[in-house]
Amino acid sequence: LTIPYAEQCVESTDPIVRKCVVQAYRENPTLARVERLDQMLSDPHPDVRIPARFALRRLANENDRFDKRIRELGMKTINSSPSDIRALEQSLILLAALDHKATANRAVELLEHGHPKISVTAAWSLRVLNVESTFRKMLNYATATSQELFRLSRNEENVMPADQMDQIAHLFDSFGVSGYDYAEDLMRKFVPKNSLMSGNSRAAAITALGKFYQGQSDNDLVPILIRC
């Protein structure tokens, strides 16, 4: 009984009403309503676009036909809508939550997206997806970005860009979980107190290195970590 009203209210100026539309479509799904929910990922209000993402994830988990279409729509967004920041962010999160491995190559490219919401979300999605074939490109990006961060850290007049620090942290987390030890030399540079690094990226480097050498108490990292 709610659907006719939902159809009338989908373009409402009130985000609370649009959120109710999301709920109605979620509970009465069709392929057409799945596509409408996908469009709502770009809604200007987070209380609409985030529930739309949750609804799509639930529907993908419940119905194979919906799942296929949701993945298709998500890939279309991340490949062809670089300027739609809201939809791009939500689609990246959704595809990663669905463990859609085909997202990974595009996510690597989006590490260099000009908007921090996208560049950081791309790094997070790569950590979640954990696709081995992307590790080398991730490390190349982390290395180049780290060089710039170290350059900025030596100039006290510059404020360290938080988005790039968060990006590096997600990438280091990925290397630690996967055991990608080619990243070890880079992460070691973040560990000493005099590295001038702080925040999430340094913590992620320390954690990842600890995973590499768990149980190896005679490793040369032990005294370095103690001094942290």
Side-chain angles (χ1 to χ4, degrees):
L1 296 176
T2 65
I3 290 298
Y5 297 99
E7 300 289 355
Q8 297 170 26
C9 296
V10 71
E11 300 292 347
S12 171
T13 58
D14 190 333
I16 297 176
V17 174
R18 297 198 303 277
K19 182 178 179 180
C20 291
V21 173
V22 170
Q23 294 170 332
Y25 283 175
R26 182 192 66 203
E27 299 303 328
N28 301 272
T30 65
L31 277 176
R33 291 168 193 159
V34 162
E35 294 185 6
R36 189 66 182 117
L37 285 170
D38 180 78
Q39 294 170 10
M40 297 178 84
L41 294 178
S42 64
D43 193 278
H45 202 291
D47 285 351
V48 179
R49 60 181 183 267
I50 293 175
R53 186 186 82 229
F54 287 152
L56 288 168
R57 181 179 181 182
R58 194 184 90 174
L59 293 174
N61 288 330
E62 292 176 349
N63 183 293
D64 289 343
R65 188 171 59 144
F66 293 159
D67 178 58
K68 179 180 178 181
R69 187 57 179 150
I70 288 166
R71 291 169 190 260
E72 291 172 348
L73 292 168
M75 290 300 294
K76 180 179 178 181
T77 296
I78 68 170
N79 283 315
S80 61
S81 303
S83 61
D84 189 343
I85 302 303
R86 294 187 290 261
L88 189 52
E89 178 190 28
Q90 297 303 316
S91 294
L92 276 170
I93 296 171
L94 175 60
L95 290 168
L98 294 174
D99 197 31
H100 191 63
K101 302 296 188 184
T103 309
N105 286 330
R106 179 57 175 155
V108 170
E109 297 173 351
L110 291 172
L111 290 173
E112 300 190 48
H113 193 283
H115 198 290
K117 276 186 177 292
I118 303 307
S119 59
V120 174
T121 302
W124 172 85
S125 70
L126 287 165
R127 177 175 63 81
V128 173
L129 291 165
N130 194 32
V131 176
E132 184 177 358
S133 62
T134 62
F135 290 164
R136 171 53 62 181
K137 292 180 180 179
M138 291 161 60
L139 178 56
N140 289 343
Y141 178 84
T143 300
T145 303
S146 297
Q147 289 173 348
E148 177 63 13
L149 291 174
F150 278 110
R151 186 188 68 79
L152 289 174
S153 70
R154 289 190 290 268
N155 186 346
E156 295 181 357
E157 295 180 2
N158 283 294
V159 177
M160 299 294 286
D163 56 310
Q164 289 184 318
M165 299 286 279
D166 288 342
Q167 268 192 311
I168 296 299
H170 287 310
L171 297 179
F172 284 176
D173 281 341
S174 181
F175 298 147
V177 169
S178 61
Y180 188 68
D181 56 8
Y182 289 101
E184 178 174 348
D185 289 344
L186 175 61
M187 293 191 293
R188 278 177 176 259
K189 296 177 181 178
F190 282 72
V191 174
K193 285 184 177 179
N194 62 2
S195 71
L196 303 179
M197 284 297 172
S198 61
N200 292 339
S201 58
R202 182 165 179 259
I206 292 169
T207 302
L209 289 167
K211 290 178 179 177
F212 285 176
Y213 294 105
Q214 185 172 1
Q216 299 182 34
S217 59
D218 59 343
N219 189 274
D220 69 317
L221 270 172
V222 171
I224 299 174
L225 293 174
I226 289 173
R227 291 195 295 271
C228 285

